[in-house]
Amino acid sequence: MITPLCTKGAEVPSSRPLTGNWRSLLVEDNPDPEFRSYCHLFAVRRPWQRGCVDDSLRHIADNKVAGVLITDTRMRRVHHPYDGGADVFLATSEERDRMRDRHADRLFRHPSGL
């Protein structure tokens, strides 16, 4: 699971004791340091078991946290939940089609499919 934290400083915040800093990215490069912004990505690896992300999903649904990515260990499949639903990125179009068919009742009903 990867969670972002945006700051105005390049220093990695120590506010995520259960996760490790994976990467820090300069998001807004500005000559004036007051207007620079950084995104620090924190990652935690957990063995999969039923219910292991339930608390995180509840926080996302309640708008307490945003930008969370849940991935497999090779990052070939990504689940990006947000307060109104989720986006899922899969490794192959065949896998995508199987997921679409299995969860057809949960898909957005707009004619464009988006």
Side-chain angles (χ1 to χ4, degrees), residues 5-105:
L5 181 62
C6 295
T7 67
K8 289 190 177 257
E11 307 80 37
V12 176
S14 61
S15 62
R16 305 276 169 101
L18 299 177
T19 60
N21 179 253
W22 176 46
R23 296 231 161 91
S24 292
L25 309 167
L26 177 62
V27 176
E28 183 66 39
D29 192 7
N30 192 298
D32 184 345
E34 183 66 26
F35 294 101
R36 284 189 198 131
S37 61
Y38 296 82
C39 182
H40 306 281
L41 301 174
F42 295 85
V44 61
R45 186 180 257 181
R46 294 181 185 158
W48 180 256
Q49 58 184 352
R50 188 176 205 83
C52 71
V53 296
D54 287 358
D55 289 341
S56 296
L57 292 174
R58 173 53 48 206
H59 289 307
I60 294 163
D62 291 342
N63 247 343
K64 293 180 180 176
V65 66
V68 173
L69 300 175
I70 301 168
T71 74
D72 62 334
T73 55
R74 294 177 55 203
M75 293 188 177
R76 294 191 59 211
R77 294 164 190 87
V78 178
H79 181 245
H80 176 231
Y82 44 86
D83 64 333
D87 293 323
V88 178
F89 303 93
L90 300 168
T92 67
S93 56
E94 293 81 14
E95 196 174 1
R96 177 205 60 209
D97 293 346
R98 282 193 306 274
M99 177 78 74
R100 180 198 61 216
D101 295 345
R102 190 170 52 221
H103 299 287
D105 60 324

